Amino acid sequence: MKNNQINYIEFKSNDIQKTKEFYSTIFNWKFTDYGPNYVAFSQSGLEGGFEFSSEKIINGCLVVLYADNLKIVKEKIISFGGIITKEIFKFPGGKRFHFLDITGNELAVWSEE
């Protein structure tokens, strides 16, 4: 993985099973389940996933960047006016956090650390 590049995208889904059927049937994407509320996809050109949400989906895409050191990147984001929306948390495969850039776009940064 390359540091500081887009590495993954996440979408929201109100129905994980129907979402999997839709994308696998139309685009031949492959899926890996990580519990009842998350599924990762591959063979789409860029890897990503779908997270279950019971809320109405308004902007369902989350761009995920990769960084070697989450703490350093988080400090830089804050120092340049970004806002942390989800503190660093663990997930299968690593850790990540979410932030708003200076214009309100939400992105995430992850690391294997």
Side-chain angles (χ1 to χ4, degrees):
M1 283 169 270
K2 294 187 178 182
N3 194 38
N4 300 323
Q5 292 191 356
I6 295 173
N7 175 261
Y8 197 84
I9 56 172
E10 272 186 3
F11 297 95
K12 301 286 185 188
S13 171
N14 296 130
D15 187 322
I16 296 288
Q17 187 57 40
K18 284 184 180 179
T19 299
K20 287 167 48 177
E21 291 170 8
F22 180 87
Y23 286 96
S24 64
T25 301
I26 297 170
F27 300 109
N28 295 317
W29 291 6
K30 303 300 178 204
F31 292 91
T32 303
D33 293 319
Y34 290 98
N37 294 322
Y38 197 86
V39 62
F41 61 83
S42 60
Q43 298 185 6
S44 66
L46 181 66
E47 291 189 10
F50 289 93
E51 178 182 35
F52 175 76
S53 175
S54 60
E55 298 175 8
K56 181 180 178 185
I57 299 170
I58 296 170
N59 182 9
C61 183
L62 178 68
V63 174
V64 183
L65 306 167
Y66 179 84
D68 292 331
N69 189 312
L70 290 182
K71 291 178 183 176
I72 290 173
V73 173
K74 181 181 168 188
E75 290 171 8
K76 286 182 179 180
I77 289 169
I78 293 168
S79 71
F80 281 91
I83 299 169
I84 304 304
T85 57
K86 284 188 182 179
E87 290 294 333
I88 295 173
F89 64 93
K90 291 182 181 181
F91 68 95
K95 295 180 181 178
R96 80 180 199 193
F97 69 90
H98 295 205
F99 71 96
L100 296 177
D101 70 12
I102 58 171
T103 61
N105 294 298
E106 184 174 25
L107 291 89
V109 182
W110 85 282
S111 181
E112 295 170 312
E113 65 178 37

